[in-house]
Amino acid sequence: MSKMHIKFRLNGQEVEGLAEPRMLLIHFLRENLKVTGPHIGCETSHCGACTVDMGGKSVKSCTVFACQADGAEITTIEGLTNPDGTLGVLQEMFREHHGLQCGFCTPGMITRAHRLLQENPTPTEEEVRFGISGNLCRCTGYQNIVKAILAAAEQLNSHKEAAE
């Protein structure tokens, strides 16, 4: 099978490579680009462990062909750190509020939470729960994940107000 040349921005950097038309984005990220933050969970789009931000939307990279990413802007958990490499606000709030246990769902959960807060900077608890409902966690019971996202929203909004 012939391979396709694909090129996109990943976490702010131009990347490119060759992929068979049937190759899934999650496999291209992990195998070709060695970006291992997004995890392979169910490969059926049910768990959300593979969630990335693509073109301003949360997508499950196990349901997107790599060739569909050509020309896109993609952010993974690796792209959500601060420029100096320290944890970003969402990552720090997950740590501070114990929003993770085994950590398998965490990259997808944080990436989804990032997009949720872009779409709705001041969500209610109910909106957070609905917003992350496509991402499964088998360890935490979600309470601390929700607390972490709400705390991140509060901190991000206080930074915005201080800058204005």
Side-chain angles (χ1 to χ4, degrees), residues 92-146:
E92 184 59 36
M93 291 301 100
F94 265 66
R95 186 195 64 76
E96 189 174 307
H97 292 274
H98 309 286
L100 61 130
Q101 285 182 18
C102 81
F104 191 81
C105 73
T106 305
M109 193 70 76
I110 290 175
T111 304
R112 173 60 197 134
H114 166 76
R115 177 51 45 199
L116 171 65
L117 295 180
Q118 297 293 308
E119 295 165 351
N120 181 357
T122 56
T124 63
E125 179 178 336
E126 183 179 332
E127 291 168 329
V128 169
R129 288 183 182 280
F130 181 78
I132 63 169
S133 62
N135 291 67
L136 302 179
C137 176
R138 295 193 172 124
C139 300
T140 66
Y142 301 96
Q143 190 59 35
N144 289 341
I145 291 171
V146 172

Side-chain angles (χ1 to χ4, degrees), residues 89 93 121-122 150-164:
V89 172
M93 291 301 100
T122 56
L150 291 170
E154 186 176 319
Q155 189 168 349
L156 289 167
N157 288 321
S158 69
H159 286 149
K160 278 184 197 171
E161 290 170 8
E164 296 172 353

Side-chain angles (χ1 to χ4, degrees), residues 2-143:
S2 66
K3 293 187 176 187
M4 298 178 68
H5 181 261
I6 55 175
K7 184 176 181 179
F8 56 89
R9 288 185 66 76
L10 177 64
N11 301 324
Q13 303 293 316
E14 291 288 335
V15 296
E16 60 184 303
L18 297 174
E20 290 184 3
R22 65 183 179 184
M23 182 178 236
L24 296 173
L25 180 58
I26 186 67
H27 296 295
F28 187 78
L29 291 172
R30 293 181 63 83
E31 296 164 18
N32 294 37
L33 301 178
K34 308 301 183 209
V35 175
T36 58
H39 291 155
I40 299 170
C42 64
E43 292 193 276
T44 61
S45 81
H46 293 338
C47 75
C50 66
T51 301
V52 300
D53 198 82
M54 182 170 143
K57 295 183 178 186
S58 293
V59 299
K60 294 177 181 175
S61 59
C62 73
T63 60
V64 175
F65 290 114
C67 61
Q68 291 175 289
D70 192 43
E73 179 80 33
I74 297 175
T75 304
T76 65
I77 186 74
E78 290 89 347
L80 297 178
T81 59
N82 292 320
D84 65 0
T86 58
L87 296 178
V89 172
L90 265 165
Q91 295 163 320
E92 184 59 36
M93 291 301 100
F94 265 66
R95 186 195 64 76
E96 189 174 307
H97 292 274
H98 309 286
L100 61 130
Q101 285 182 18
C102 81
F104 191 81
C105 73
T106 305
M109 193 70 76
I110 290 175
T111 304
R112 173 60 197 134
H114 166 76
R115 177 51 45 199
L116 171 65
L117 295 180
Q118 297 293 308
E119 295 165 351
N120 181 357
T122 56
T124 63
E125 179 178 336
E126 183 179 332
E127 291 168 329
V128 169
R129 288 183 182 280
F130 181 78
I132 63 169
S133 62
N135 291 67
L136 302 179
C137 176
R138 295 193 172 124
C139 300
T140 66
Y142 301 96
Q143 190 59 35

